Amino acid sequence: MRQITLRRTLTNGEVYETTVNLWDAIANGSVLENFALQDGDSIFVPRLANADTIDRRLLARSQFAPETVRVRVVGEVKQPGEVEVPPDSSISSAVAIAGGPTVDARLSQVVHVRMNESGEVDRQVVDLRNLTDTYQIQAGDVVIVPKKDIASVLDFATRLLNPLTLLLGIPGRF
């Protein structure tokens, strides 16, 4: 973002080349002076060097960010599934947009899953008991809100006992 190269072939056949620091324009909210693309221009954006880092929150708030990103929130939320959130949202915001946690949610053990740039899956446990966090959601993330231990035990017992009630002829449902 700091070393974007613009290459333009002029009418006399000469090649004009300039380097643009787009990151400074994003960080400062400024407009690039005398920078209008023309038909036939070539733009080269180099890969971020391993030692360099990028402020994803700043980029998410820039005019280059999409209006929303899609993430999946599953488990103990009122409206599980894919939700659209602003790009600078936190995990707790995504849970809130998915209707908020159910009464059976174990908010101390929320799992945030993301595929990193090398294609590996990163998994992190996040404590959302205060419904606040500083993690930034990205497109494609998955948030898993697990059940409380007692809710999991009751759910398992219900699944186990319901078929038995039919076999034994016991009325009602557990």
Side-chain angles (χ1 to χ4, degrees):
M1 301 284 290
R2 289 183 170 95
Q3 296 176 351
I4 295 175
T5 303
L6 167 67
R7 186 173 296 140
R8 175 177 297 156
T9 303
L10 302 175
T11 54
N12 63 4
E14 290 183 34
V15 176
Y16 167 77
E17 191 172 289
T18 186
T19 301
V20 178
N21 187 337
L22 189 57
W23 185 253
D24 283 348
I26 292 170
N28 299 329
S30 61
V31 177
L32 295 171
E33 295 292 324
N34 300 323
F35 187 74
L37 295 177
Q38 297 178 5
D39 188 32
D41 284 353
S42 296
I43 299 172
F44 174 71
V45 181
R47 185 173 198 84
L48 186 66
N50 289 339
D52 292 340
T53 59
I54 192 165
D55 184 348
R56 293 188 186 277
R57 287 209 183 268
L58 180 61
L59 190 59
R61 289 189 303 266
S62 76
Q63 64 185 2
F64 298 105
E67 292 289 320
T68 60
V69 294
R70 293 175 183 247
V71 299
R72 294 193 68 73
V73 182
V74 296
E76 292 303 308
V77 291
K78 294 176 183 163
Q79 299 167 352
E82 190 172 79
V83 296
E84 292 187 1
V85 299
D88 61 343
S89 295
S90 63
I91 295 172
S92 55
S93 295
V95 169
I97 290 170
T102 66
V103 294
D104 292 331
R106 185 177 356 147
L107 293 175
S108 64
Q109 298 290 309
V110 173
V111 179
H112 177 232
V113 180
R114 173 180 292 160
M115 185 174 295
N116 65 27
E117 292 169 4
S118 62
E120 298 172 351
V121 175
D122 289 334
R123 183 180 182 273
Q124 187 165 12
V125 177
V126 180
D127 185 348
L128 292 183
R129 285 180 285 194
N130 294 332
L131 291 175
T132 59
D133 65 283
T134 58
Y135 297 94
Q136 182 183 0
I137 284 291
Q138 292 179 15
D141 284 359
V142 178
V143 177
I144 305 167
V145 181
K147 278 188 175 184
K148 292 179 186 172
D149 290 334
I150 189 68
S152 296
V153 170
L154 291 175
D155 189 42
F156 175 74
T158 301
R159 289 184 206 183
L160 181 66
L161 293 176
N162 274 338
L164 289 176
T165 60
L166 292 174
L167 290 174
L168 299 174
I170 302 171
R173 187 173 179 183
F174 286 93

